[in-house]
Amino acid sequence: MPEKILTNEDLSRIVDTSDEWITTRTGIKERRVAAKGEDTSDMATEAALKALEQAKISAKEINLILVATATPDMLFPATACFVQKKIGATNAACLDISAACAGFLFGIEIAQQFITSHTHDTVLVIGADKLTSITNWTDRNTCVLFGDGAGAAILGHRGSAHGVISTHIGSDGQFSDILFMPGGGSRCPITRDNVDLNLATIHMTGKEVYKQAVTAMVSASQKVLADAGLTADDIACVIPHQANLRIIEGIADRLQIPLERFYVNLDKYGNTSAAAVAIALDEANRSGRIKHGDYVLLVVFGGGLTWASTIVEW
Ligand code: ACO
């Protein structure tokens, strides 16, 4: 996580909002903001180095790097290539994944496919985003929601049965216009006029996103539970996308899993997009909240629309 903290109080001095509004509508109290010159690949690199340290392997053993991000350092080359250079993973192939906030679990699914087909056996999956670089700081509907950060995981063959046991990914392009950034791509390249129109920032229809998020994450969770032959009662910890506490409460209610079994850190970080579940998974692991043998359900949702779910036997 970047060091700089931006509190709700700080935001109330930038736009017409309040700590009370943000807390009751979202659960967010503060978020982290990358420093000037701290790029998505810098946060991704720090997360990757911590994952390598924990996995006790060297960067040279990695043969595939996947970076899920909606805010790459540049449109090309892939941010994964910058990470490769910074960590010295000279034996890796590199690519970015564009699945917005759902990207980290799309990465887990892709890694799993490469691993089970025996083409690449040690895969570094990173979720990293610097959403504050595409935030419209005059739009109170969106600027209070987002923050910056990165998280990483290394996947490989395991001798035991533990690991990723069930995955699901899905998309619905019909809703591509409820959460998007219209400018900055080839359809609407950056020009002076477009910058003035704030086109290279996040545009969101909040209420519709909210509705779709609950529906998609509930059905994605039910799908991986059924595929794994498990019920909601078997899940020790749910790590959901960290967008809004009310969305998480809605999912808990519909899945009939007590809220206490959900890992929530959005109060500290806001919505960090593709990084959110990766950061939460790491915190839950390092704090002992998830233990060897636990079934952990990860479920995410993002622009596209995209959604994904994974069950891991920890
Ligand atoms: N401070 C104060 N008032 C605000 C703010 C703010 N920051 N933002 C909006 N308001 C006002 C609105 O202008 C509106 O005022 P009005 O009634 O006078 O028009 C009022 O508050 C209510 O606005 P709503 O949009 O109805 O508020 P809602 O309860 O729906 O909450 C929110 C808005 C938090 C955006 C909610 O819809 C939400 O969380 N949606 C999902 C967003 C999301 O998860 N996005 C990302 C998902 S995917 C990804 O991570 C990229």
Side-chain angles (χ1 to χ4, degrees), residues 97-265:
I97 297 167
S98 177
C101 303
F104 182 72
L105 292 194
F106 272 65
I108 297 286
E109 166 81 52
I110 295 166
Q112 143 119 333
Q113 296 301 331
F114 274 101
I115 290 166
T116 51
S117 66
H118 299 282
T119 54
H120 295 72
D121 60 9
T122 308
V123 185
L124 170 61
V125 184
I126 303 172
D129 261 310
K130 187 175 160 185
L131 286 190
T132 62
S133 68
I134 56 166
T135 295
N136 176 356
W137 293 102
T138 64
D139 176 15
R140 69 176 182 174
N141 291 292
T142 54
C143 77
V144 301
L145 302 175
F146 304 114
D148 303 330
I154 294 166
L155 280 83
H157 284 292
R158 296 282 295 262
S160 69
H162 294 260
V164 175
I165 57 172
S166 179
T167 55
H168 168 66
I169 55 174
S171 311
D172 189 347
Q174 286 194 76
F175 292 102
S176 51
D177 59 351
I178 65 171
L179 184 54
F180 66 118
M181 185 172 92
S186 58
R187 191 188 297 182
C188 180
I190 299 286
T191 62
R192 265 172 218 276
D193 289 349
N194 290 345
V195 169
D196 291 344
L197 291 170
N198 273 316
L199 294 181
T201 61
I202 300 165
H203 287 51
M204 183 181 77
T205 312
K207 271 202 189 320
E208 192 57 32
V209 172
Y210 188 106
K211 249 181 16 206
Q212 297 298 332
V214 175
T215 311
M217 285 200 279
V218 168
S219 63
S221 301
Q222 288 164 338
K223 170 103 179 71
V224 279
L225 280 168
D227 288 353
L230 299 172
T231 69
D233 287 344
D234 297 315
I235 300 299
C237 183
V238 184
I239 302 188
H241 181 44
Q242 307 284 320
N244 183 319
L245 185 58
R246 289 189 295 149
I247 292 177
I248 295 174
E249 287 167 348
I251 303 167
D253 189 45
R254 290 189 201 191
L255 289 176
Q256 299 196 313
I257 299 178
L259 194 58
E260 305 77 66
R261 274 198 258 152
F262 283 68
Y263 191 86
V264 177
N265 64 6

Side-chain angles (χ1 to χ4, degrees), residues 1-106:
M1 306 303 301
E3 275 176 26
K4 187 180 168 195
I5 294 173
L6 185 70
T7 65
N8 291 349
E9 212 56 56
D10 297 332
L11 273 168
S12 70
R13 288 189 280 276
I14 301 173
V15 284
D16 181 13
T17 190
S18 64
D19 175 47
E20 198 268 334
W21 192 96
I22 302 170
T23 304
T24 52
R25 299 287 176 133
T26 70
I28 299 166
K29 299 296 282 183
E30 58 189 45
R31 69 287 292 143
R32 300 295 177 95
V33 179
K36 204 164 185 281
E38 186 175 17
D39 297 329
T40 298
S41 67
D42 295 319
M43 295 185 287
T45 296
E46 280 213 34
L49 291 173
K50 286 182 180 163
L52 285 166
E53 188 189 353
Q54 200 179 44
K56 298 187 179 63
I57 62 169
S58 87
K60 299 221 173 349
E61 291 172 66
I62 301 288
N63 44 35
L64 182 63
I65 302 177
L66 305 171
V67 174
T69 186
T71 48
D73 285 12
M74 300 177 189
L75 279 182
F76 75 90
T79 298
C81 292
F82 294 125
V83 173
Q84 175 188 35
K85 182 174 165 186
K86 288 175 187 177
I87 67 173
T90 44
N91 297 314
C94 304
L95 67 134
D96 286 0
I97 297 167
S98 177
C101 303
F104 182 72
L105 292 194
F106 272 65

